[in-house]
Amino acid sequence: MRHIFANLTVEETIDLVRLIESTGVAAIAVHGRKREERPQHPNHEDFIRAAAEAVKVPILANGGSKDTIRQHEDIEFFRQSTGAAGVMIGRAAMWNPAIFAPPPPNGPPPSKMTLVHEYLHLAVKYNHHISGVKYCIQRMFVDDTCSNEYVKTLSAESMAEICDIWGLSEETIEKAKLCSSERTDSLNPNKADDDSTSGTKKSHLDGDASTTEENGDADKDSLIILPVAFIRSEWPAVGDTPKQLLFEHCKRKHLPLATFSTTTDKDSRTFYSIVTFDGVRYSHKFPSKSKKFAEQAASLACLTHLKLWPFTETEKKS
């Protein structure tokens, strides 16, 4: 149960869990944040404890990843602090996949490099989608985004390339070459349209947009792809976003508002978006985790190519 009511009191929370218990459920999971709250807000452990004390069915505590849970021993600490029968873990398990295993008695816990190697072996074995693999590695290195391997992984175009970046064996790299790329090609809108189906060969730009700049204005039929991604933590929780900045630019220049077209890969649950601005289409090389993030990434690609981002406050007001 997510604590879904904006102004729910402890007493009302207790009434709710008792009502749920009366339906015959075996357990109730309680997240300690309200609907409008985000990870930067504190987890309301007192609400979880009150719920645990009020009912007989097991209460599973959730919401402790950022504030409390970072390593294995934190799990029991969080359980005791909330009085819950068990703990649900989401983001902390992505940051540290070994969090459920007690640390070795005579040595340190496995390093991130070891975890990545083990994960990639499984990803190759079960033919994981490359976008999902990148996402998992990004989560593991959420606090260390400057490592050489991490940066190279973001621009990798195949599972074999990722395995090579992380120093896996030649045997594993060869197996990775057999991983299917058909889903990526068929669902990625950045892939060029075939002449036989579109009638026009789309020009592509994968990098710093130097080709388009050398030729002057972008071709009206082109699809410009830039290696950008929308990372929510790098933008204010309330305020400007790439999409908002692009719309403001349209209004200042008295141009039609930009339009978006988004495709999704249902298997990997990733999204790509194309934004059309002033007759030119822009997209992002890296997949996004939601339609909203994909539209933001496409907007960021457009702003970057037009040299409207990054900008100073003076440029923003002009």
Side-chain angles (χ1 to χ4, degrees):
M1 180 196 76
R2 180 75 188 240
H3 187 186
I4 59 174
F5 299 101
N7 298 311
L8 209 65
T9 64
V10 173
E11 291 74 19
E12 290 169 330
T13 300
I14 292 174
D15 290 341
L16 179 58
V17 294
R18 283 175 174 166
L19 176 62
I20 296 173
E21 181 185 38
S22 69
T23 66
V25 297
I28 303 173
V30 180
H31 196 294
R33 291 187 184 86
K34 301 178 182 180
R35 180 175 56 187
E36 73 277 10
E37 293 178 328
R38 292 296 178 264
Q40 63 265 30
H41 296 105
N43 199 38
H44 301 288
E45 295 182 3
D46 54 329
F47 278 70
I48 302 176
R49 176 174 286 279
E53 293 173 349
V55 295
K56 295 181 180 179
V57 296
I59 293 292
L60 306 178
N62 196 1
S65 287
K66 183 175 182 180
D67 295 337
T68 307
I69 303 173
R70 285 287 183 166
Q71 50 194 2
H72 177 76
E73 50 266 36
D74 296 334
I75 299 175
E76 178 60 17
F77 176 83
F78 181 62
R79 188 194 69 78
Q80 291 186 15
S81 66
T82 58
V87 174
M88 291 182 65
I89 299 176
R91 289 173 300 129
M94 292 191 290
W95 300 332
N96 177 16
I99 198 168
F100 297 107
N106 299 317
S111 66
K112 284 186 179 180
M113 185 67 74
T114 298
L115 294 175
V116 170
H117 278 209
E118 292 185 11
Y119 169 67
L120 287 176
H121 279 294
L122 292 172
V124 171
K125 180 179 180 180
Y126 294 104
N127 194 14
H128 282 193
H129 194 283
I130 185 173
S131 58
V133 171
K134 287 185 177 183
Y135 178 80
C136 289
I137 292 176
Q138 284 180 286
R139 296 304 92 198
M140 291 186 213
F141 283 78
V142 67
D143 294 325
D144 181 18
T145 59
C146 296
S147 70
N148 189 43
E149 292 88 354
Y150 175 89
V151 174
K152 288 182 177 180
T153 297
L154 295 182
S155 59
E157 297 184 351
S158 69
M159 282 297 298
E161 186 178 353
I162 292 178
C163 291
D164 184 47
I165 289 169
W166 291 95
L168 270 67
S169 67
E170 288 296 329
E171 180 183 0
T172 303
I173 293 174
E174 287 302 314
K175 289 181 180 178
K177 291 179 180 179
L178 301 177
C179 289
S180 173
S181 62
E182 293 178 359
R183 284 194 300 167
T184 304
D185 291 342
S186 63
L187 291 163
N188 186 346
N190 299 338
K191 185 175 176 61
D193 296 331
D194 187 86
D195 287 339
S196 61
T197 58
S198 68
T200 304
K201 187 71 173 181
K202 306 299 182 183
S203 62
H204 282 249
L205 191 59
D206 187 7
D208 60 1
S210 58
T211 303
T212 301
E213 291 172 8
E214 290 173 1
N215 295 333
D217 293 337
D219 188 328
K220 295 297 183 181
D221 290 327
S222 65
L223 173 59
I224 298 174
I225 307 166
L226 294 183
V228 298
F230 176 71
I231 302 175
R232 193 69 185 88
S233 60
E234 295 181 357
W235 295 81
V238 178
D240 294 337
T241 62
K243 188 174 179 180
Q244 181 180 345
L245 294 175
L246 181 57
F247 280 172
E248 290 177 355
H249 178 70
C250 293
K251 293 177 181 178
R252 284 197 302 269
K253 299 299 182 181
H254 305 290
L255 295 170
L257 289 181
T259 58
F260 296 85
S261 174
T262 304
T263 58
T264 179
D265 179 348
K266 294 182 179 179
D267 292 328
S268 64
R269 298 181 181 179
T270 56
F271 298 78
Y272 285 93
S273 187
I274 296 174
V275 60
T276 301
F277 168 73
D278 196 22
V280 181
R281 302 186 305 152
Y282 302 87
S283 190
H284 47 106
K285 182 175 181 179
F286 306 126
S288 298
K289 66 179 183 179
S290 69
K291 179 182 177 182
K292 290 182 179 179
F293 276 37
E295 290 182 352
Q296 296 289 2
S299 300
L300 184 57
C302 177
L303 293 172
T304 302
H305 179 257
L306 297 176
K307 298 184 178 180
L308 297 173
W309 179 263
F311 50 52
T312 65
E313 286 300 314
T314 301
E315 291 172 326
K316 178 181 176 181
K317 295 175 182 177
S318 62

